[in-house]
Amino acid sequence: MAKYLVPASVLLSQSIAAASLFDSYVSLSFELIGFPTFAGTKHQPNAFSHNLMHNLAELQGSGIVVRVGGNSGDRAIYDPTLTTSTASACPNADPGAWQCIGTTFFESYGGFPAGTRYSHQFNLGAYNSSGWATLEATVPLACKALRGQLEFWEMGNEPDLFTGSRRPSTYNASQYSNEWLNSTQHFESYLHKACPDLFHSLKYIAPSLSSPGARLHIADIFPDEGNATEKITQVSIHNYMNGATVPGVTLQNTLMSHNAVVKSITSHVNYAKTSTIDAEYIIGEHNSLYGGGASGLSDVFGAALWAMEFSLYAASTGVIKRIHFHQSVGSPYAAWVPSGTLATNAPYYGKLAASTFLAHSNTIEVKTLALNKDADLDSGYGAYVYGDLRRIAVLNLRQYNAGNGTRASQTYTVKVAPGSLWKSQRLTAAGATDKTGVTFNGFSYDADSNGLAKRVKGQESSKVIRADRSGNISFTVQDSEAIVLLKE
């Protein structure tokens, strides 16, 4: 069959030529201290989490890449006498520590489905005797647990935020660089002794700064390339749209806004150009609002639409090779509640939709589509395989709250191959501020089915739409709703 290219007039020009993305584009990051709660252990996995992770991996066609770290990674002190995986005190190791890990912590690697790849972050925040003892003691535990399922290593988290708390106010890029180099050299010596097979395939992500606007800059941290940085295979910078308690943050203007997403991601695209490291660029930790998110913003359906929008636009840059949504137990922005009263939160569904559109992400090219609508509220994307348009995604980001009058909709038309058939899958809920009742393609993935797909009566699923003879495919999307079209 002849390939059909969308006319140039339909496509927005791309500022940077797209290149191959990494697989498992929609990946996750877990706060280190809460990771065992999410994962369980290799021999006794958390079944609810296992199923939810499996869903994402199945849709994407590859195992999720799980980064384990965050603020608690730079606080965690190892205590071999602990009988639990984590603890809020470990006086036998460090009387001042308030986040601690024991030997059984490392049994959680392998708790997620087979094919999951992991990274482990070591503690750089505690640059002292207990921190160094933790590094020496945990390298053998980590490397043996991660053998066969390792993606990369990480040393420290958001060092730019050490200033004035973990470090003096004069702390600078050169000092951080020296600490990172010293710590990785010690790590490598411990790794060579404990797991020599892994020593010869070392991969780091760094410098794990809090944002492109961080006071420490990558060009100052690593001013030139060389042996010190050749093992950094992914430049990792973090991202949050704003803060959970910052005045003026709203669902419509902060999250459900194409322009806001573009602004946030463009800062990364520009930052990547300044990197002195010959490595690909990822967003190694991100979510809606820093500080764990905000109830009523980060845990509602509007945040699911944001998660989808953020993922697709990031992929369209061709620069950001993978993104990791951060998860923390009890945080509003968490995709699910892994213990106690189990629950699948609204943002999870946005990841399902994004995973569907970005399936086999290392084989596709993503481009934005000009919809000739409102540039901020109507967002469109195409996924191409060797120039052939295979998937379409459209988001109607106008905020509609359930019960607030009649729910409006928009009709969209996209140029495709004449007469082609497309299967539609909708990401929908009663309204943008709803926390429950969310579905993707007519299915829920809630606790009542232990995270497995459950057909919801009355919800549309895999409806087939045919393009007309002129190659126009038209469809409607309600306010606060999104659709993914898959070429049959």
Side-chain angles (χ1 to χ4, degrees):
M1 181 180 292
K3 295 177 181 177
Y4 185 87
L5 299 180
V6 175
S9 60
V10 177
L11 298 176
L12 293 177
S13 62
Q14 305 296 302
S15 58
I16 296 179
S20 296
L21 304 172
F22 290 159
D23 67 350
S24 306
Y25 194 85
V26 182
S27 282
L28 299 176
S29 165
F30 289 85
E31 194 64 43
L32 183 140
I33 209 72
F35 172 60
T37 302
F38 276 101
T41 68
K42 184 176 182 178
H43 301 293
Q44 192 172 0
N46 182 317
F48 184 53
S49 293
H50 190 280
N51 290 338
L52 293 172
M53 290 287 289
H54 177 76
N55 299 335
L56 296 174
E58 280 289 294
L59 288 173
Q60 295 192 71
S62 52
I64 304 303
V65 179
V66 169
R67 176 252 186 180
V68 178
N71 289 337
S72 60
D74 270 338
R75 297 177 181 136
I77 297 299
Y78 175 67
D79 183 350
T81 68
L82 286 180
T83 57
T84 56
S85 58
T86 64
S88 58
C90 46
N92 292 334
D94 183 345
W98 53 278
Q99 289 186 324
C100 309
I101 57 174
T103 304
T104 58
F105 172 90
F106 297 92
E107 296 177 8
S108 292
Y109 287 119
F112 287 145
T116 302
R117 291 115 71 194
Y118 300 88
S119 76
H120 178 77
Q121 176 209 319
F122 292 100
N123 186 340
L124 184 65
Y127 199 66
N128 53 33
S129 58
S130 63
W132 298 326
T134 291
L135 179 64
E136 183 174 11
T138 58
V139 170
L141 297 171
C143 70
K144 291 172 183 176
L146 289 169
R147 184 178 277 124
Q149 51 185 357
L150 174 67
E151 182 73 0
F152 43 69
W153 301 105
E154 186 175 21
M155 185 65 67
N157 174 76
E158 300 181 351
D160 52 295
L161 302 184
F162 289 175
T163 305
S165 56
R166 312 296 296 277
R167 302 291 189 276
S169 59
T170 55
Y171 187 65
N172 59 37
S174 177
Q175 290 171 309
Y176 161 63
S177 177
N178 288 335
E179 291 178 2
W180 188 88
L181 291 170
N182 183 50
S183 295
T184 54
Q185 286 170 3
H186 280 85
F187 160 72
E188 290 173 22
S189 68
Y190 305 145
L191 182 67
H192 186 268
K193 182 178 180 181
C195 301
D197 54 317
L198 298 183
F199 174 79
H200 298 291
S201 56
L202 267 175
K203 296 190 297 182
Y204 293 111
I205 60 168
S208 306
L209 300 174
S210 66
S211 74
R215 64 180 302 275
L216 300 184
H217 194 282
I218 192 169
D220 299 320
I221 298 167
F222 303 115
D224 52 41
E225 298 177 27
N227 293 336
T229 60
E230 65 183 5
K231 296 167 187 173
I232 298 175
T233 59
Q234 296 178 26
V235 171
S236 174
I237 307 296
H238 300 173
N239 190 86
Y240 289 88
M241 298 298 290
N242 213 317
T245 60
V246 174
V249 170
T250 67
L251 189 59
Q252 180 71 84
N253 296 328
T254 308
L255 301 182
M256 293 176 61
S257 164
H258 177 71
N259 291 344
V261 168
V262 169
K263 180 180 179 181
S264 184
I265 290 174
T266 298
S267 67
H268 286 274
V269 173
N270 292 335
Y271 192 85
K273 298 175 185 177
T274 70
S275 176
T276 52
I277 301 174
D278 184 18
E280 302 287 18
Y281 192 99
I282 66 168
I283 298 180
E285 175 188 319
H286 84 106
N287 215 308
S288 54
L289 304 172
Y290 62 78
S295 181
L297 293 173
S298 301
D299 56 355
V300 299
F301 180 62
L305 293 170
W306 166 79
M308 180 182 178
E309 166 71 13
F310 190 96
S311 300
L312 272 54
Y313 188 76
S316 78
T317 68
V319 173
I320 301 167
K321 303 301 184 181
R322 184 184 287 136
I323 59 176
H324 294 259
F325 285 91
H326 197 53
Q327 309 300 307
S328 180
V329 175
S331 294
Y333 61 39
W336 67 90
V337 179
S339 62
T341 303
L342 304 178
T344 305
N345 296 333
Y348 178 78
Y349 290 85
K351 296 169 183 60
L352 288 175
S355 296
T356 299
F357 180 82
L358 295 170
H360 304 285
S361 51
N362 59 330
T363 68
I364 64 173
E365 182 180 1
V366 179
K367 298 181 180 181
T368 54
L369 299 178
L371 300 173
N372 300 317
K373 295 279 189 176
D374 188 306
D376 187 36
L377 302 176
D378 301 287
S379 187
Y381 301 90
Y384 298 79
V385 178
Y386 298 115
D388 183 25
L389 180 61
R390 298 288 184 86
R391 301 168 211 149
I392 296 167
V394 171
L395 297 89
N396 179 344
L397 297 172
R398 294 167 181 81
Q399 183 173 343
Y400 170 79
N401 297 337
N404 285 4
T406 303
R407 189 174 189 174
S409 63
Q410 297 287 318
T411 299
Y412 304 92
T413 300
V414 176
K415 276 284 186 181
V416 296
S420 57
L421 298 176
W422 296 76
K423 182 171 63 177
S424 64
Q425 301 187 352
R426 292 182 185 272
L427 174 63
T428 194
T433 57
D434 279 52
K435 297 184 179 181
T436 60
V438 184
T439 60
F440 177 62
N441 194 32
F443 289 84
S444 67
Y445 296 80
D446 293 332
D448 62 356
S449 61
N450 207 25
L452 298 175
K454 179 181 178 182
R455 188 74 171 89
V456 177
K457 185 177 181 180
Q459 292 290 331
E460 178 183 297
S461 181
S462 297
K463 178 182 177 181
V464 176
I465 306 173
R466 182 188 294 272
D468 65 21
R469 295 180 179 178
S470 299
N472 296 312
I473 185 169
S474 297
F475 48 90
T476 60
V477 182
Q478 296 183 106
D479 290 354
S480 296
E481 189 178 67
I483 191 171
V484 176
L485 302 177
L486 308 174
K487 190 176 182 181
E488 291 279 79

